[in-house]
Every structure is written in C-alpha cells, then in structure tokens.
Amino acid sequence: MAAEQFSAVEVIRAKRDGGELSNEMIDWTIDAYTRGVIAEEQMSALNMAIYFQGMNRNEISRWTAAMINSGERMDFSALTDPSGKKLATTDKHSTGGVGDKITLPLAPLVASFGVAVPQLSGRGLGHTGGTLDKLEAIPGWKADLSNEELFSQLSNVGAVICAAGTGLAPADKKLYALRDVTATVEAIPLIASSIMSKKIAEGTGTLVLDVKVGSGAFMKDEAMARELAETMVNLGTDASVNTVALLTNMETPLGLTAGNAIEVEESVEVLAGGGPSDVVELTVALATEMLAGAGIKDVDVAGALQNGKAMDVWRRMIAAQGGDPDAKLPVAKESHTVVAEAEGVLLKLDAMDIGLAAWTLGAGRARKEDSVQAGAGVRMHVKPGALVRRGEPIATLLTDTPEKMEHAIELVQRAIMIGSADDRPDTRLILDRIAAK
C-alpha cells in the first residue's frame, strides 16, 4: 500500500493555526476523505478550523475544484436543437426561501428564447421548499432522468428540471451531511464550495445566483449574504463560468403561496400572464440575467409570459417528464383561515414563521426520507404594505392532517404584525446585483 502524501493531523493543524492550505494538501484532503482515509472526527475538526480561520480565494477555488474532481462533470458543448443549431446553456441557483417557486416559470421562460436550461434541483428540508417536491404534485411527473434523457429533452424542449445525479461532486454529499451535524453549515467557504461544486460540475455556460437575505433565508444578515454571493461569483468566474448574483429579499414569502401543489398553481398563473407581482418581477429579472449571460439581450422577457411562448415550453417540459399539464392538482382535505385581529397596515408577514407553518402542515420534511403532502401549505391573501380590516382573511392553512393545524395557526399568528401606515415597510425585492470583479 502506497504511503499517503499528507496526514489529516498535519492539515488540521495548518488550518487551525491560520495557515494557507496548499493546492496539493487540498487535493489530498478531499480525495482522502472520499476514500475514507480521513476519519469523520478529523474532517469535523478541519471543518471547524475552516469555520474560524476562513479560506482565501485560491483555497476556496481549489477546494471546489477538488470536490468537482471527486465525480463526473457534464459537458453540454455539443448540445444542439433538432435542426442542428448549437444551443447555449444557462442555469439558476437559489439559496432557498419560502414560496420560492421561481424555477418553475423561469426555466420555460428562458428556454422560449432558444437557450437551453439544465436545471438540476433538489427536494426541500425544513422550512424551505424543494423544487422537485412542488413538481411531483403534478400527476405522473418524474424527477429522475438518465443523462441520455436529460440531453434529449434539452435538445427537443429546451428546458429540464430534474434531480441531480449521484455522480456530481460526491464528496459534497459526505461533507454536507457532516457539516449539518457539527454546526459548521454557516462557514462561507464550505457553503460556497458546496453549491458551486455541483453547479460547475453540471457544465452550464452561464450561472445566475439568487442569494436570499432575511428571516426566511439561510442568510439572515445582508453583509454575510453579500460575502457569500461574492465568493460564489468568484468561484464561477475562476472556473470559466459566466456568473452573476442577485441579492433578494426573503423577509416575506415570495408570492401568495407556500406549499407544493399551490405553488405549481401560482407558477402556472405567472406563465399565463398573471400571478403575484413579486414572482413576476423576480422571474423576469433572473431570466434577463440568464439570457444576457448567454448573449441574448434587448428582448421582451416579460412579453414571453404574456404571449404564451413560455407556457408552451412549460407544457412540453412537463409532458416530456411524464406529467399531465392539464391534470387537476391535489387539494388538501382540511383548511382554516387566520384573520386580522386589528385594523391597520400589514407591516410584517414573517417568512420563517410562514415556512414553518407550511412545514408543520405537511408541505415539508424533517428528514430526507420523509414524505410530503402535495396539497398542504399556506395560501396568503395579503402582503406587507396592504391595509387590512379587523376580521379580514390574512392566510388560509391547508393540510390532510388536522391534528397539525393548531400549531400551524400559532405560527401564522406569530408571523403577522399590523400597525400604523407611518411604519409602512420597505418591500423592495431585489437588493443588489453582484458581478465578477
């Protein structure tokens, strides 16, 4: 058996003492951990050292590259449409929020302009919803595609939303699970490399990041969210992926729904030219960035929602994955409406509490192996800034398990703050745009 190039203790000590890990040390660490040479307690110690000491740009870039090299890397360079025309690829990643159904209208909208969208997505955990959970509310729709099916659908339809294969950055799967149980999830070098290793391995030419800030987001603090966005943009740029980020507000849920089937319903409304203004605004903003990165500028993005182009792609995309775009969506068996207890301006509808309520009702899962209720969730009737009267409906709670209703009602009531018009909140959605420096 060949001798190992380094020892785990050597790497841990170097980072613990504030040193810079060399390229060779990083490559060995990810490979050795994947092979089982580095024990879980040793990688836990290294993660904690990184949490406190940080990493510079070169270290994070090399760490990300090592995670990519632990598995396969997809290549869309030869992708063409049925006529043989070469297709550019573009993708979006959201750091997760409440009511964040943006991928559903966004992928077909961008594809309607002749750019391929390979959107590899995940399922929800905790208070943040998962794109695949939402789409699985559509009868017949399947999330798992082979690489051959993915490429074929991209060529013929232009958009795919599906589960990521296990071959992409397998080191990240081990590291993520470890970070989750060692209180090191918040380490920005580890967050950024986790997200970007999968996105770069996916092989897209352009990437737009939606980095959410606020109570319902992973990052509550704008300065931390900005640092994460800048780090990820740098990682994409270093890997020759055209990358930009938008900082977006997650103090309030996106749109008027938080759940699975009800978010699909709202997404279809957007594709039909309607839907909540904030969902439309963010969908159009992200689509504009994705198209610009792919070389398509000065086009009427909003118009593609109005004229049916995006809806046509949506229907073909759903049908290609076995779904029936005309099927009735599941409806929860039980409902309860929470009303305003006072008159005034709705100052707050806290995203975290609404997300927790939807999760409690059955729309989310506590463990990866848990199932979700397609019809469960929270349907909101007003947004912050609106004038409400006593007794007016604020939100309707939906579930198949009525015993869960009482706690969810408490959470929604806690989410609501009503006050004076003088305290009307700032409801800006897009806080900033971050590009490579």
mmCIF file of all heavy atoms in Angstrom, residues 74-90:
data_model
loop_
_atom_site.group_PDB
_atom_site.id
_atom_site.type_symbol
_atom_site.label_atom_id
_atom_site.label_comp_id
_atom_site.label_asym_id
_atom_site.label_seq_id
_atom_site.Cartn_x
_atom_site.Cartn_y
_atom_site.Cartn_z
ATOM 1 N N MET A 74 -20.488 17.124 -16.347
ATOM 2 C CA MET A 74 -21.306 17.085 -17.557
ATOM 3 C C MET A 74 -20.757 18.065 -18.587
ATOM 4 O O MET A 74 -20.135 19.077 -18.235
ATOM 5 C CB MET A 74 -22.758 17.394 -17.222
ATOM 6 C CG MET A 74 -23.350 16.415 -16.218
ATOM 7 S SD MET A 74 -25.101 16.691 -15.878
ATOM 8 C CE MET A 74 -25.804 15.993 -17.373
ATOM 9 N N ASP A 75 -21.006 17.768 -19.851
ATOM 10 C CA ASP A 75 -20.472 18.591 -20.936
ATOM 11 C C ASP A 75 -21.581 18.821 -21.961
ATOM 12 O O ASP A 75 -22.037 17.901 -22.629
ATOM 13 C CB ASP A 75 -19.288 17.883 -21.592
ATOM 14 C CG ASP A 75 -18.650 18.711 -22.697
ATOM 15 O OD1 ASP A 75 -19.112 19.857 -22.932
ATOM 16 O OD2 ASP A 75 -17.708 18.220 -23.334
ATOM 17 N N PHE A 76 -22.027 20.082 -22.047
ATOM 18 C CA PHE A 76 -23.099 20.436 -22.986
ATOM 19 C C PHE A 76 -22.563 21.121 -24.241
ATOM 20 O O PHE A 76 -23.322 21.713 -24.998
ATOM 21 C CB PHE A 76 -24.114 21.357 -22.300
ATOM 22 C CG PHE A 76 -24.863 20.705 -21.176
ATOM 23 C CD1 PHE A 76 -24.669 21.111 -19.865
ATOM 24 C CD2 PHE A 76 -25.772 19.691 -21.426
ATOM 25 C CE1 PHE A 76 -25.365 20.525 -18.823
ATOM 26 C CE2 PHE A 76 -26.471 19.086 -20.397
ATOM 27 C CZ PHE A 76 -26.267 19.499 -19.088
ATOM 28 N N SER A 77 -21.248 21.067 -24.455
ATOM 29 C CA SER A 77 -20.641 21.821 -25.562
ATOM 30 C C SER A 77 -21.149 21.364 -26.927
ATOM 31 O O SER A 77 -21.135 22.137 -27.890
ATOM 32 C CB SER A 77 -19.114 21.712 -25.503
ATOM 33 O OG SER A 77 -18.701 20.363 -25.613
ATOM 34 N N ALA A 78 -21.596 20.113 -27.034
ATOM 35 C CA ALA A 78 -22.068 19.604 -28.326
ATOM 36 C C ALA A 78 -23.588 19.629 -28.447
ATOM 37 O O ALA A 78 -24.146 19.103 -29.413
ATOM 38 C CB ALA A 78 -21.558 18.171 -28.528
ATOM 39 N N LEU A 79 -24.264 20.264 -27.488
ATOM 40 C CA LEU A 79 -25.736 20.267 -27.487
ATOM 41 C C LEU A 79 -26.289 21.103 -28.642
ATOM 42 O O LEU A 79 -25.871 22.246 -28.851
ATOM 43 C CB LEU A 79 -26.241 20.821 -26.158
ATOM 44 C CG LEU A 79 -27.746 20.781 -25.930
ATOM 45 C CD1 LEU A 79 -28.235 19.338 -25.819
ATOM 46 C CD2 LEU A 79 -28.117 21.563 -24.673
ATOM 47 N N THR A 80 -27.236 20.520 -29.387
ATOM 48 C CA THR A 80 -27.889 21.233 -30.494
ATOM 49 C C THR A 80 -29.392 21.032 -30.412
ATOM 50 O O THR A 80 -29.882 20.100 -29.761
ATOM 51 C CB THR A 80 -27.401 20.722 -31.865
ATOM 52 O OG1 THR A 80 -27.757 19.329 -31.996
ATOM 53 C CG2 THR A 80 -25.898 20.885 -32.019
ATOM 54 N N ASP A 81 -30.132 21.888 -31.108
ATOM 55 C CA ASP A 81 -31.572 21.679 -31.230
ATOM 56 C C ASP A 81 -31.817 20.702 -32.392
ATOM 57 O O ASP A 81 -30.863 20.281 -33.073
ATOM 58 C CB ASP A 81 -32.307 23.012 -31.423
ATOM 59 C CG ASP A 81 -32.005 23.699 -32.744
ATOM 60 O OD1 ASP A 81 -31.414 23.054 -33.649
ATOM 61 O OD2 ASP A 81 -32.376 24.871 -32.900
ATOM 62 N N PRO A 82 -33.076 20.298 -32.643
ATOM 63 C CA PRO A 82 -33.331 19.307 -33.697
ATOM 64 C C PRO A 82 -32.851 19.710 -35.089
ATOM 65 O O PRO A 82 -32.587 18.855 -35.931
ATOM 66 C CB PRO A 82 -34.861 19.160 -33.657
ATOM 67 C CG PRO A 82 -35.224 19.475 -32.242
ATOM 68 C CD PRO A 82 -34.295 20.584 -31.847
ATOM 69 N N SER A 83 -32.702 21.033 -35.329
ATOM 70 C CA SER A 83 -32.227 21.481 -36.637
ATOM 71 C C SER A 83 -30.713 21.443 -36.752
ATOM 72 O O SER A 83 -30.161 21.698 -37.826
ATOM 73 C CB SER A 83 -32.716 22.913 -36.903
ATOM 74 O OG SER A 83 -32.010 23.842 -36.090
ATOM 75 N N GLY A 84 -30.038 21.146 -35.643
ATOM 76 C CA GLY A 84 -28.574 21.116 -35.635
ATOM 77 C C GLY A 84 -27.937 22.396 -35.142
ATOM 78 O O GLY A 84 -26.714 22.493 -35.080
ATOM 79 N N LYS A 85 -28.746 23.386 -34.772
ATOM 80 C CA LYS A 85 -28.207 24.652 -34.269
ATOM 81 C C LYS A 85 -27.643 24.457 -32.869
ATOM 82 O O LYS A 85 -28.289 23.867 -32.000
ATOM 83 C CB LYS A 85 -29.308 25.714 -34.242
ATOM 84 C CG LYS A 85 -28.850 27.061 -33.698
ATOM 85 C CD LYS A 85 -30.019 28.026 -33.596
ATOM 86 C CE LYS A 85 -29.606 29.337 -32.944
ATOM 87 N NZ LYS A 85 -30.765 30.253 -32.751
ATOM 88 N N LYS A 86 -26.445 24.964 -32.636
ATOM 89 C CA LYS A 86 -25.803 24.841 -31.336
ATOM 90 C C LYS A 86 -26.587 25.614 -30.277
ATOM 91 O O LYS A 86 -27.046 26.736 -30.522
ATOM 92 C CB LYS A 86 -24.370 25.370 -31.408
ATOM 93 C CG LYS A 86 -23.576 25.204 -30.119
ATOM 94 C CD LYS A 86 -22.147 25.649 -30.328
ATOM 95 C CE LYS A 86 -21.366 25.668 -29.026
ATOM 96 N NZ LYS A 86 -21.359 24.374 -28.334
ATOM 97 N N LEU A 87 -26.752 25.008 -29.111
ATOM 98 C CA LEU A 87 -27.505 25.633 -28.025
ATOM 99 C C LEU A 87 -26.569 26.074 -26.905
ATOM 100 O O LEU A 87 -25.751 25.283 -26.417
ATOM 101 C CB LEU A 87 -28.537 24.664 -27.452
ATOM 102 C CG LEU A 87 -29.754 24.336 -28.325
ATOM 103 C CD1 LEU A 87 -30.570 23.218 -27.681
ATOM 104 C CD2 LEU A 87 -30.621 25.581 -28.518
ATOM 105 N N ALA A 88 -26.701 27.339 -26.492
ATOM 106 C CA ALA A 88 -26.016 27.803 -25.291
ATOM 107 C C ALA A 88 -26.797 27.304 -24.075
ATOM 108 O O ALA A 88 -27.999 27.062 -24.158
ATOM 109 C CB ALA A 88 -25.954 29.330 -25.282
ATOM 110 N N THR A 89 -26.112 27.140 -22.942
ATOM 111 C CA THR A 89 -26.782 26.685 -21.724
ATOM 112 C C THR A 89 -26.663 27.736 -20.622
ATOM 113 O O THR A 89 -25.646 28.428 -20.514
ATOM 114 C CB THR A 89 -26.181 25.369 -21.205
ATOM 115 O OG1 THR A 89 -24.767 25.518 -21.042
ATOM 116 C CG2 THR A 89 -26.466 24.223 -22.165
ATOM 117 N N THR A 90 -27.706 27.827 -19.817
ATOM 118 C CA THR A 90 -27.714 28.766 -18.698
ATOM 119 C C THR A 90 -28.537 28.170 -17.569
ATOM 120 O O THR A 90 -29.462 27.395 -17.804
ATOM 121 C CB THR A 90 -28.272 30.139 -19.129
ATOM 122 O OG1 THR A 90 -28.159 31.067 -18.043
ATOM 123 C CG2 THR A 90 -29.715 30.046 -19.571
#
